[in-house]
Amino acid sequence: MGDAILKWLQVFSTAVLTLAGVVATAQPAPGGDIVLRVSSWGGKSTQTQIKYAGEIFTNKTGVKVQFIDGASIDHLAKLVAARGRNVPYDVVLLDGDVRAQAIQAGVLEKFDYDKVPNARLAFDEAKTTDGYSPDFDFVSAIFVYNADKYREAGIPAPVSWRDLWDKRLAGHVALPDLANGAGRALLIQTSRLLGGDEGDLSKAVEEVARVGARSYWSTSQQAEQLIKSGDIWLTVIADGRAYSLQDVYKPARAVRPQEGSIAYASTADIVKGTPHRELAAQFLNEIYGPLYQLGNAVDFNYGPTNRLLTPIIDADKALAAKLIYTSEQAKTLYHPDWNKYWAAHERAQDLWNRTITSRK
């Protein structure tokens, strides 16, 4: 990343925190020991949210933020179990595909752009038509591979999804399972290669089984360790994770397959039943604001949906090369009908268990 954009981000972040502190001092705190509870994914993701949204929100309002880490599916299970009473979160940050289930379960508030004005800056491709919040970043599944191992084996760098089935990779591929968003995206992508879509996944499961993957993983941290081990030469993972691994591990290379990729963006919603609806909306305004969105792009390599950032990222060619950050680029992603996917998921999971899990 260019020195200019990094310096700008650091200076702007410091200035916002300083100004927020002045505002918080000038205004009375909400009173009591209010803590805003926000679900997150953990690790670097939560660190980024604390740095560019949580701390600024606290300085502005005097209200502390508790980030509760876990998988999106687990956060949803807790919301459903609460049934709107004594809800475990005030705000939920979820994978977009899991948010579709949360909407069906009726655990989220409808979105009010008047309460979250920064969200008006989101690209149309990030907005929904069902009255819920827009995506706050562009995330898609891509490859990350070990360039040293490919070179030693005389295998060209992967360029197509079909390269997963290259027999020369036998025993050196790891794939995400269906507990991870990348696994669900891979299944849809495989179905599309076979002429199908997210509504009928049986053939796709059988095709994924033919990859003969050495192992399957559930968390991105597991995938990163597998690539670093040298035993695994190729996997499918969220683009931000792929480029972040490329930044810190020299042999790793991130590649967007030429056929395009499946979008499974991140979402932010107010939980139905929260006693802190107004504060939750203020926190969401930070998530959709330019500072958090740029910080998420710089620190985590996920594309912002705030259109104000396009010229800033344009100025940093190295960063721009990693991101989906324009309306035109967002149109190249396939945005699944996640309700259609989940209607087919149970059958696909059962077949996955019988044809893949049972053979591990």
Side-chain angles (χ1 to χ4, degrees):
M1 184 185 67
D3 291 339
I5 195 170
L6 177 58
K7 183 177 180 181
W8 181 90
L9 181 58
Q10 292 171 335
V11 170
F12 186 59
S13 179
T14 301
V16 170
L17 281 168
T18 302
L19 180 60
V22 172
V23 172
T25 302
Q27 296 179 349
D33 296 319
I34 297 173
V35 175
L36 194 76
R37 300 156 301 162
V38 179
S39 77
S40 188
W41 295 271
K44 193 172 182 179
S45 182
T46 299
Q47 293 168 16
T48 303
Q49 289 147 17
I50 292 171
K51 182 178 180 181
Y52 297 112
E55 291 180 352
I56 294 167
F57 169 84
T58 297
N59 272 276
K60 287 181 177 179
T61 65
V63 174
K64 294 180 179 179
V65 181
Q66 177 189 9
F67 289 91
I68 304 168
D69 297 337
S72 288
I73 288 179
D74 294 333
H75 293 316
L76 174 60
K78 291 178 182 178
L79 286 174
V80 172
R83 298 182 180 179
R85 298 187 296 273
N86 296 319
V87 293
Y89 315 107
D90 303 296
V91 172
V92 281
L93 309 182
L94 299 173
D95 296 334
D97 57 338
V98 175
R99 198 269 290 270
Q101 289 189 302
I103 291 172
Q104 290 293 321
V107 297
L108 305 179
E109 294 275 4
K110 286 291 187 78
F111 193 72
D112 186 346
Y113 281 90
D114 289 336
K115 299 287 187 181
V116 190
N118 280 334
R120 296 185 185 279
L121 299 170
F123 290 115
D124 289 343
E125 290 75 19
K127 294 178 179 177
T128 68
T129 58
D130 55 7
Y132 291 90
S133 66
D135 301 336
F136 68 77
D137 59 18
F138 290 122
V139 181
S140 60
I142 66 171
F143 288 149
V144 64
Y145 73 100
N146 187 314
D148 288 352
K149 296 297 183 180
Y150 265 70
R151 184 176 58 255
E152 292 168 7
I155 304 173
V159 295
S160 166
W161 285 106
R162 299 184 189 279
D163 290 333
L164 279 171
W165 289 267
D166 188 328
K167 295 185 183 303
R168 293 172 292 182
L169 294 173
H172 295 291
V173 176
L175 294 177
D177 62 26
L178 298 186
N180 189 280
R184 299 187 287 271
L186 171 62
L187 199 58
I188 295 171
Q189 184 64 59
T190 304
S191 182
R192 284 168 56 79
L193 290 176
L194 297 172
D197 62 14
E198 60 269 31
D200 184 2
L201 302 168
S202 297
K203 291 181 180 178
V205 173
E206 294 170 355
E207 192 69 12
V208 169
R210 292 190 185 99
V211 172
R214 177 169 177 162
S215 60
Y216 292 84
W217 51 267
S218 298
T219 70
S220 299
Q221 291 88 345
Q222 292 170 339
E224 291 161 2
Q225 289 304 313
L226 286 168
I227 289 290
K228 289 179 179 179
S229 74
D231 294 328
I232 296 303
W233 303 352
L234 177 68
T235 194
V236 177
I237 195 170
D239 50 4
R241 294 278 188 177
Y243 284 107
S244 293
L245 184 58
Q246 176 180 282
D247 289 343
V248 300
Y249 180 59
K250 188 175 180 180
R253 296 290 185 276
V255 175
R256 294 188 185 276
Q258 62 190 13
E259 299 93 344
S261 52
I262 305 299
Y264 61 107
S266 307
T267 59
D269 291 275
I270 298 173
V271 173
K272 189 175 290 186
T274 173
H276 307 303
R277 187 178 289 107
E278 294 298 320
L279 288 169
Q282 290 181 57
F283 178 82
L284 290 192
N285 205 46
E286 300 299 336
I287 290 290
Y288 289 103
L291 179 58
Y292 171 75
Q293 297 254 322
L294 184 58
N296 195 38
V298 170
D299 285 7
F300 216 11
N301 295 310
Y302 284 130
T305 59
N306 187 313
R307 62 177 179 267
L308 294 183
L309 297 178
T310 299
I312 295 173
I313 296 172
D314 276 340
D316 188 328
K317 301 305 180 186
L319 180 62
K322 301 174 183 178
L323 305 178
I324 300 292
Y325 70 98
T326 70
S327 177
E328 292 73 20
Q329 291 172 331
K331 288 182 174 71
T332 68
L333 300 176
Y334 180 72
H335 297 264
D337 179 339
W338 288 112
N339 289 323
K340 191 175 180 180
Y341 168 84
W342 288 112
H345 173 81
E346 184 174 355
R347 181 179 178 186
Q349 182 70 72
D350 179 66
L351 183 58
W352 183 285
N353 292 342
R354 287 187 285 110
T355 61
I356 294 177
T357 305
S358 64
R359 296 178 185 176
K360 292 197 294 183

